[in-house]
Amino acid sequence: TALVHRLPASSPTLFEAKAKKNITFETIAKELGREEVAVAAIFYGQARASPEDFQKLSSVLGIQQSTLEQQLQGFPDRGRTVDMPPKEPLIYRLFEIVQNYGYAYKAVLNEKFGDGIMSAIAFSTKVEKETDKDGNNWAIITLRGKWLPYSRF
């Protein structure tokens, strides 16, 4: 696909091992003691793995630790994988949410916290599934970022 050429060398190694083991990001995350979105971000080269992650990924995926250390060394090239505007429908919908509600979020956040921004560095996120009484599935995406007030200078 068009995405493959933008992924780091570690991605095929990780995804092939995941497919071979037939396990989910949730399963891997439990082994690593991390959120499943954080683990998926490592697979896509958007998050950094720690030495402890190398060891646990090696164990759960059956990949030589030295291979992981070599392929996952350095710093992530964040943001590289997504076209703007996004073409993948689910990613586009997330982008659309920000387009449609971005200024509303900004207004409410500014009222609650003052002039500033929500960090995407001091940040965590998780995805949950909820099923309502009618059997409809709902996606719950939580974004948790440290509030950073603008400095007066």
Side-chain angles (χ1 to χ4, degrees):
T1 67
L3 177 62
V4 172
H5 74 277
R6 292 191 303 253
L7 294 175
S10 59
S11 292
T13 302
L14 293 166
F15 280 113
E16 287 168 15
K18 179 181 176 292
K20 186 175 180 181
K21 295 280 188 174
N22 193 30
I23 56 177
T24 64
F25 286 120
E26 180 180 22
T27 300
I28 299 167
K30 285 179 182 174
E31 292 292 325
L32 270 64
R34 297 187 68 172
E35 290 288 340
E36 60 193 308
V37 176
V39 172
I42 292 170
F43 276 58
Y44 283 98
Q46 300 299 297
R48 191 165 188 203
S50 70
E52 183 181 354
D53 293 334
F54 297 148
Q55 180 183 11
K56 291 179 179 180
L57 282 168
S58 174
S59 175
V60 73
L61 295 174
I63 302 170
Q64 289 289 326
Q65 186 170 337
S66 59
T67 300
L68 291 171
E69 289 169 350
Q70 186 224 355
Q71 290 185 354
L72 292 170
Q73 69 182 346
F75 297 96
D77 188 6
R78 293 178 178 91
R80 177 184 174 135
T81 58
V82 179
D83 290 324
M84 291 306 285
K87 292 173 181 56
E88 202 289 322
L90 179 63
I91 296 171
Y92 180 80
R93 289 293 176 238
L94 294 171
F95 179 72
E96 185 178 42
I97 290 167
V98 174
Q99 281 183 308
N100 291 335
Y101 297 101
Y103 278 100
Y105 284 135
K106 180 186 180 326
V108 172
L109 286 163
N110 287 154
E111 283 182 357
K112 291 182 181 289
F113 296 98
D115 190 21
I117 59 172
M118 185 177 85
S119 177
I121 296 171
F123 178 84
S124 64
T125 184
K126 66 181 177 178
V127 175
E128 298 172 282
K129 179 180 176 181
E130 177 181 282
T131 304
D132 66 20
K133 63 180 173 43
D134 297 325
N136 298 306
N137 291 322
W138 295 82
I140 301 170
I141 300 172
T142 302
L143 307 174
R144 182 178 178 266
K146 180 179 180 182
W147 189 255
L148 303 171
Y150 281 106
S151 298
R152 180 178 161 88
F153 58 94

